[in-house]
Amino acid sequence: RRSSDLVKTRGRIGALLELGAGFHPDYTGRENISLNATLVGLTPAEILAKTPEIIAFADIGDYIDEPIKHYSSGMVVRLGFAIIAATDPDLLITDEVLAVGDESFKKKCVKWLENYVASGGTLLIVTHSMYHVQKLCQQAIWLKDGAIQKSGDVFEVTQAYLAFHERKTAKVTVTERAAANGDRCRIDSLSINGSAAAQSSSPMGTDLHLQGV
């Protein structure tokens, strides 16, 4: 259900939400640095001073002077994260930002985020990666079907989340196995009222007739 309210903020807020948000596809990476950095609140002088740092962090080589529309999703994330890192916001909001990109860049981002939090920055991260939640956060909220399922200590919440999905996976596996076997079932052992007849043996292929009482 939609709602509305008024939010007052203090300090600089950085956000990495939708891939490519704040970028113009026809502008080069260098031009988009100026555009995006302006949107997050940097002055022209700050942009000029920080551009070499941003380009070095993004590490996309000569593509910095190519239009964004020719970038891969990983390259877009590289540039976007590099700009956010240079702005050093008081609050950083990210949504699955580490889901794309190569492994070495992900490690560089995680290292930066660890230093950011250690130096007093506030991180709000939305992700399905329990590794990143446990590594970067102290508190967590598990949302299920739009409602809070559990909140509190990061390890308690993530363990509950993982346990839920373990049970869900096990249930699906049993259901799939039953569907694959059709209506057939297998009897591993059988005892009928403890009678001696239940202990007798029959040749393979003999029909067994059971009658319920």
Side-chain angles (χ1 to χ4, degrees):
R1 185 174 59 182
R2 293 184 179 181
S3 61
S4 62
D5 206 338
L6 178 65
V7 177
K8 293 183 178 180
T9 63
R10 294 191 300 271
R12 178 176 288 165
I13 299 176
L16 279 171
L17 304 175
E18 184 178 357
L19 189 64
F23 289 148
H24 193 295
D26 293 325
Y27 291 0
T28 67
R30 192 182 301 274
E31 292 168 336
N32 269 294
I33 289 175
S34 297
L35 173 63
N36 198 285
T38 299
L39 293 176
V40 298
L42 293 188
T43 66
E46 288 175 322
I47 295 172
L48 184 63
K50 290 180 176 292
T51 293
E53 174 188 340
I54 293 171
I55 293 175
F57 193 101
D59 192 22
I60 57 175
D62 294 338
Y63 281 98
I64 194 66
D65 292 308
E66 291 288 333
I68 286 285
K69 62 184 178 183
H70 295 155
Y71 284 19
S72 66
S73 58
M75 292 168 67
V76 173
V77 168
R78 280 174 170 265
L79 188 58
F81 198 101
I83 295 172
I84 290 296
T87 63
D88 195 24
D90 300 294
L91 168 63
L92 175 58
I93 306 171
T94 71
D95 184 2
E96 300 288 9
V97 67
L98 299 177
V100 296
D102 60 70
E103 196 62 29
S104 60
F105 186 75
K106 288 180 183 179
K107 290 181 179 179
K108 181 162 69 171
C109 290
V110 169
K111 181 63 176 178
W112 184 91
L113 288 170
E114 286 181 310
N115 293 335
Y116 168 78
V117 172
S119 63
T122 300
L123 174 65
L124 174 59
I125 180 170
V126 180
T127 181
H128 290 93
S129 170
M130 295 304 99
Y131 167 77
H132 291 124
V133 173
Q134 292 178 348
K135 192 170 183 64
L136 298 170
C137 303
Q138 297 178 342
Q139 298 289 311
I141 297 175
W142 168 19
L143 295 177
K144 183 176 181 294
D145 299 327
I148 296 178
Q149 184 78 4
K150 189 176 179 64
S151 63
D153 177 77
V154 64
F155 287 102
E156 293 181 2
V157 175
T158 53
Q159 289 305 309
Y161 174 86
L162 291 171
F164 167 80
H165 283 283
E166 284 291 336
R167 294 192 299 270
K168 185 177 179 181
T169 301
K171 183 177 180 181
V172 170
T173 301
V174 171
T175 303
E176 289 177 343
R177 187 182 300 125
N181 290 333
D183 295 328
R184 294 175 298 167
C185 65
R186 185 182 69 190
I187 300 175
D188 293 318
S189 62
L190 176 65
S191 176
I192 305 176
N193 296 331
S195 65
Q199 306 302 321
S200 63
S201 61
S202 299
M204 291 292 294
T206 301
D207 291 334
L208 177 64
H209 299 279
L210 301 179
Q211 182 177 354
V213 178

